[in-house]
Amino acid sequence: MPDELVPSHGTMEAHDAYNKHAKLQASGAASALPFLEKAAQNVALEPGDRPVVIADYGSSQGKNSLAPMRVAIRALRTRLGRDRPIFVHHVDQASNDFNTLFRVLDTDPDAYTLHEPNVFSCAIGNSFYRRVLPSDYVHLAWSSYAAVWLSRIPALIPDHFVFLRSTGEVRAAFDSQAAKDWEAFLSLRASELRPGGRLVVVLPALDDDGTTGFEDLMDHANAVLMDMTDEGLISPDERARMVIGACPRRKRDLLAPFQRDGQFQRLTVQDCELSVLPDVAWAEYERHGDKDALAMRQALFFRSTFMPSLALALDSTRGAEDRRAFADSLEDGLKRRLADRPEPLHSLVETMVLAKQGSA
Ligand SMILES: C[S@@+](CC[C@H](N)C(=O)[O-])C[C@H]1O[C@@H](n2cnc3c(N)ncnc32)[C@H](O)[C@@H]1O
């Protein structure tokens, strides 16, 4: 892996940065584990000794996939016994830091293969907006904080970089792209799932008023980018090109494809739950009172998740050092603003469980 920021849309910050700082996503995924366990208990399993297939769509560098995979494997093992092979496929974009993923799978003390000689894993470097696995192949699918990333950015956002702060035609272009991509994601997963298979999708969400809980953080980052433009650290053109391709949806948007006849591409909705995800870092801050520690945690969450998308807008002539300086300045500015005005980051998380019609 070259020593530079990963130049791809929606990819997370490499070299373990995302693994270390994506605690918010980890707690969102943790809130969905009971749904995953139930899905593993209910998935149709054919008799015999063929491998049972799990897919993890949008695994990033793997750390946040370990707990869900362990839960799924443990629940499947109670039905399968110890010997039936289980084959886990981690899917992410080709620009993902797969070196880190493989290291985590091999050496992390929480690796799901520990004490599981018949669990095997592999990774696929391709977009989940394409077919990435054979038809009727996957028994149990998991996707956490990933299908919120669009297949393409439909418009630039005047004076901001997140769709939450867009209006009018720009907002409509994002809503339309988000609706198309959700249907595409579901259709592709429906074809890859086996009859009787289950898909569990966890997503950051919008409430009915269109709020996510991330607004203040995004506004602070936007103010820092403006300061960086005024100071000449980035050019106005680079600033104008900066857009994050993540587009949270409302519960009704997620359910829309199923409204007409109660199913979509042979998928039916088993569960769809919207809940508030309390900010763990804020709860800790209320105990220790250290504003800088809170600001550091929130800024590193932002950096590890969103900074690579913003850095894509930097001029192609800029080298690795410039790109790192951009990321460091953004992080420093964000830390300063967040420490001046400590706020919780209570966000919304949506968990959907889908079943493919048919039996094993
Ligand atoms: C926020 S991370 C989530 C990682 C992990 N699942 C978690 O819960 O922490 C989103 C991941 O989705 C991946 N992703 C975004 N768009 C994708 C696409 N079209 N195909 C495959 N992976 C994609 C990104 O590369 C990134 O690794």
Side-chain angles (χ1 to χ4, degrees):
M1 187 97 196
D3 192 22
E4 60 186 21
L5 303 175
V6 176
S8 178
H9 157 55
T11 308
M12 303 297 109
E13 190 179 11
H15 310 307
D16 241 358
Y18 181 80
N19 279 345
K20 282 195 190 123
H21 304 303
K23 304 279 188 236
L24 184 147
Q25 294 90 329
S27 52
S31 74
L33 293 181
F35 291 95
L36 179 63
E37 185 175 18
K38 190 169 134 201
Q41 287 160 352
N42 292 333
V43 68
L45 298 172
E46 67 286 3
D49 54 7
R50 304 289 306 154
V52 168
V53 174
I54 301 178
D56 170 26
Y57 295 100
S59 58
S60 188
Q61 294 147 38
K63 181 78 181 165
N64 284 354
S65 296
L66 300 182
M69 295 304 105
R70 261 200 327 275
V71 164
I73 291 163
R74 198 180 52 219
L76 289 170
R77 276 280 170 250
T78 62
R79 302 178 58 196
L80 297 170
R82 280 195 60 77
D83 294 338
R84 180 113 174 234
I86 296 178
F87 194 7
V88 182
H89 298 63
H90 297 282
V91 178
D92 210 292
Q93 308 182 80
S95 51
N96 181 51
D97 176 3
F98 283 102
N99 284 350
T100 299
L101 171 81
F102 285 121
R103 188 179 44 68
V104 165
L105 296 181
D106 190 35
T107 62
D108 193 284
D110 295 325
Y112 55 79
T113 44
L114 278 181
H115 315 300
E116 279 286 355
N118 289 314
V119 173
F120 305 90
S121 51
C122 69
I124 296 167
N126 210 333
S127 170
F128 53 50
Y129 290 114
R130 296 194 189 150
R131 280 195 53 191
V132 286
L133 288 164
S135 300
D136 296 339
Y137 178 69
V138 176
H139 293 85
L140 182 60
W142 166 257
S143 180
S144 175
Y145 281 79
V148 65
W149 292 90
L150 301 179
S151 63
R152 57 182 283 273
I153 291 180
L156 296 181
I157 300 172
D159 302 324
H160 218 297
F161 63 87
V162 272
F163 105 101
L164 291 168
R165 292 305 195 210
S166 65
T167 53
E169 281 178 13
V170 173
R171 179 84 179 210
F174 272 86
D175 286 340
S176 154
Q177 188 66 46
K180 274 189 219 145
D181 283 348
W182 179 231
E183 291 203 356
F185 182 83
L186 290 174
S187 302
L188 289 157
R189 301 305 74 87
S191 100
E192 292 164 356
L193 271 184
R194 294 177 68 81
R198 295 286 187 280
L199 165 63
V200 181
V201 188
V202 189
L203 289 165
L206 284 179
D207 67 12
D208 284 339
D209 301 332
T211 320
T212 59
F214 292 114
E215 286 74 9
D216 286 348
L217 178 67
M218 297 300 177
D219 287 347
H220 283 309
N222 198 44
V224 175
L225 290 172
M226 277 181 198
D227 290 347
M228 290 169 69
T229 316
D230 292 344
E231 288 159 18
L233 294 172
I234 51 177
S235 74
D237 281 353
E238 289 174 319
R239 168 64 196 87
R241 285 197 297 263
M242 289 180 184
V243 185
I244 286 179
C247 193
R249 303 169 179 94
R250 295 175 178 81
K251 186 171 181 169
R252 65 167 181 266
D253 303 326
L254 296 174
L255 290 172
F258 303 91
Q259 287 312 320
R260 211 181 43 213
D261 51 8
Q263 61 88 38
F264 179 74
Q265 306 281 346
R266 296 179 62 198
L267 294 177
T268 56
V269 179
Q270 307 287 293
D271 282 294
C272 185
E273 188 181 275
L274 178 68
S275 52
V276 175
L277 186 65
D279 183 354
V280 178
W282 181 259
E284 287 173 15
Y285 166 68
E286 288 187 315
R287 285 194 295 277
H288 58 56
D290 183 342
K291 286 194 251 181
D292 293 325
L294 175 71
M296 162 100 84
R297 204 155 148 180
Q298 292 178 335
L300 288 173
F301 154 72
F302 182 92
R303 173 176 174 154
S304 63
T305 304
F306 301 115
M307 182 278 302
S309 295
L310 298 176
L312 277 181
L314 296 178
D315 207 275
S316 59
T317 56
R318 286 187 183 256
E321 214 165 290
D322 256 8
R323 287 169 187 273
R324 187 164 301 106
F326 163 75
D328 291 344
S329 300
L330 180 55
E331 179 192 321
D332 288 345
L334 198 50
K335 272 197 282 211
R336 274 197 299 277
R337 289 185 67 93
L338 292 168
D340 283 349
R341 308 164 187 79
E343 292 284 350
L345 202 57
H346 300 313
S347 58
L348 291 163
V349 60
E350 182 90 51
T351 301
M352 264 187 115
V353 182
L354 302 155
K356 181 163 166 179
Q357 290 164 358
S359 52

